[in-house]
Amino acid sequence: MIDLRSDTLTQPTKEMRDAIYTATVGDDVYGEDPTINKLEKLAAEITGKEAALFVTSGTQGNQLAVLAQCSPGDEIIVESESHIFFYEGAAISALAGVQPRVITGVRGEMDPALVKQAIRSDDIHFPDTSLICLENTHNRSGGSVVSLDNMKSIYDVARDAGIPVHIDGARLFNSVVATNKNVKDFTQYCDSVQFCLSKGLGSPVGSILAGERRFIDKARKWRKRLGGGMRQAGFLAASGIISLTKMVDRLAEDHDKARKLAGAIEDINGLVLVNRPDTNIVIVNIEKTKQRNEEFLERLKQEGVLAVSFGEGQIRLTTHYDVSDADIDHAISALKAVVG
Ligand code: TLP
């Protein structure tokens, strides 16, 4: 089966499995896991932040950022299709007690002028705006890269207003590789960043949250409150170190494969390509086939390919480490067969 449902599906490499097996570990709640300490130091260096925290998932990293920066009754600015707003079970409200102020972006980019307008003034009727969230790459826009210009403009607006910026960088390294820039070129425009080790970077579990020391101390306490103190989790951090040192540059291969897939889809009668992929996500509109998503995906599965539903009449295909060139060729043939 060729699994294009998500880049979360990657299996750990042999090097990761060996590193996991031989990792030196300790109790991380006591701050005594040398492998976690090494990963957190490395992540802080790479992002140019004072400190970093190893967390269970991208969702946990995002939520810890909101919990550490906001108080109940605050408002945070989010993009309307962002993961934090769209896919995290309203955790910002359920856990941090904040409400979202939603701005619709273009390919994931919010207009800085709209962000400025959305920041609340000092008025007894209003909540306080306490965080602005960006997402890069932007998942629901098909893994689009949010440009450095857009990030800078929003960061300037935020700084003028004294409001911190958080980046949901679950796939930040895809943006870095696609633009040939450094991680710090992106993270200079935020106060905190979350990125996933478990997606294109191939680790089985884990994300990083990075920011100022005081912020990370608060996030660490929130992680413990939420039951996320993980003891001998250096086994997982060992794989995370491989992700950061060995798995970044190869993301370009995933992007090439997504482009090849997208190019072929453009030539299939009945399918409409929604995005020309900047990175590793391809969105396809299947409405012309007159098949419902479930039916289309089931038939695709019969042809040996898995994809996910991505809104009414749309599916998403994601390339990753475990998808070969031959798999892409197979996926193209499978799509042709399903369209008929
Ligand atoms: N995204 C998953 C699903 O939850 C949709 C996927 O398959 O793409 N931020 C962004 C931008 C994400 O795409 C994801 C995961 C997360 C955060 C959450 O990461 P995890 O799954 O580790 O909690």
Side-chain angles (χ1 to χ4, degrees), residues 5-8 56-60 62 83-84 87-88 135-139 168-171 194 196 198-199 206-207 281 310 316 318:
R5 285 176 298 170
S6 182
D7 46 11
T8 58
T56 55
S57 65
T59 303
Q60 189 182 65
N62 288 336
H83 197 278
I84 289 181
Y87 281 125
E88 296 187 10
E135 182 175 310
N136 207 351
T137 63
H138 191 273
N139 182 354
D168 174 355
R171 298 185 180 83
Q194 177 278 121
C196 293
S198 60
K199 299 199 166 58
S207 291
I281 295 176
F310 219 53
R316 184 187 77 170
T318 306

Side-chain angles (χ1 to χ4, degrees), residues 65-84:
V66 178
L67 285 161
Q69 297 285 25
C70 308
S71 302
D74 286 352
E75 185 168 80
I76 69 171
I77 297 176
V78 291
E79 202 279 325
S80 61
E81 299 274 314
S82 64
H83 197 278
I84 289 181

Side-chain angles (χ1 to χ4, degrees), residues 135-150:
E135 182 175 310
N136 207 351
T137 63
H138 191 273
N139 182 354
R140 288 192 57 81
S141 305
S144 57
V145 175
V146 172
S147 71
L148 290 172
D149 278 353
N150 182 256

Side-chain angles (χ1 to χ4, degrees), residues 49-210:
K49 300 297 178 198
E50 266 175 19
L53 182 68
F54 182 56
V55 298
T56 55
S57 65
T59 303
Q60 189 182 65
N62 288 336
Q63 293 305 322
L64 293 182
V66 178
L67 285 161
Q69 297 285 25
C70 308
S71 302
D74 286 352
E75 185 168 80
I76 69 171
I77 297 176
V78 291
E79 202 279 325
S80 61
E81 299 274 314
S82 64
H83 197 278
I84 289 181
F85 178 64
F86 200 93
Y87 281 125
E88 296 187 10
I92 56 165
S93 307
L95 302 179
V98 304
Q99 70 177 17
R101 183 76 180 268
V102 177
I103 295 178
T104 299
V106 177
R107 287 174 55 80
E109 295 188 350
M110 293 184 285
D111 181 339
L114 295 181
V115 173
K116 190 170 179 178
Q117 272 173 31
I119 294 172
R120 300 286 192 158
S121 57
D122 191 10
D123 182 309
I124 197 167
H125 300 89
F126 293 161
D128 293 327
T129 305
S130 54
L131 190 64
I132 299 169
C133 298
L134 309 180
E135 182 175 310
N136 207 351
T137 63
H138 191 273
N139 182 354
R140 288 192 57 81
S141 305
S144 57
V145 175
V146 172
S147 71
L148 290 172
D149 278 353
N150 182 256
M151 289 185 65
K152 181 181 185 313
S153 303
I154 292 176
Y155 191 57
D156 287 346
V157 166
R159 272 212 302 200
D160 280 350
I163 297 168
V165 171
H166 171 69
I167 307 178
D168 174 355
R171 298 185 180 83
L172 183 63
F173 286 83
N174 294 83
S175 290
V176 168
V177 169
T179 54
N180 236 332
K181 301 276 182 198
N182 288 309
V183 177
K184 287 179 197 147
D185 293 328
F186 290 86
T187 53
Q188 66 179 317
Y189 300 129
C190 74
D191 299 278
S192 64
V193 57
Q194 177 278 121
F195 65 80
C196 293
L197 300 160
S198 60
K199 299 199 166 58
L201 298 184
S203 276
V205 181
S207 291
I208 292 287
L209 180 65

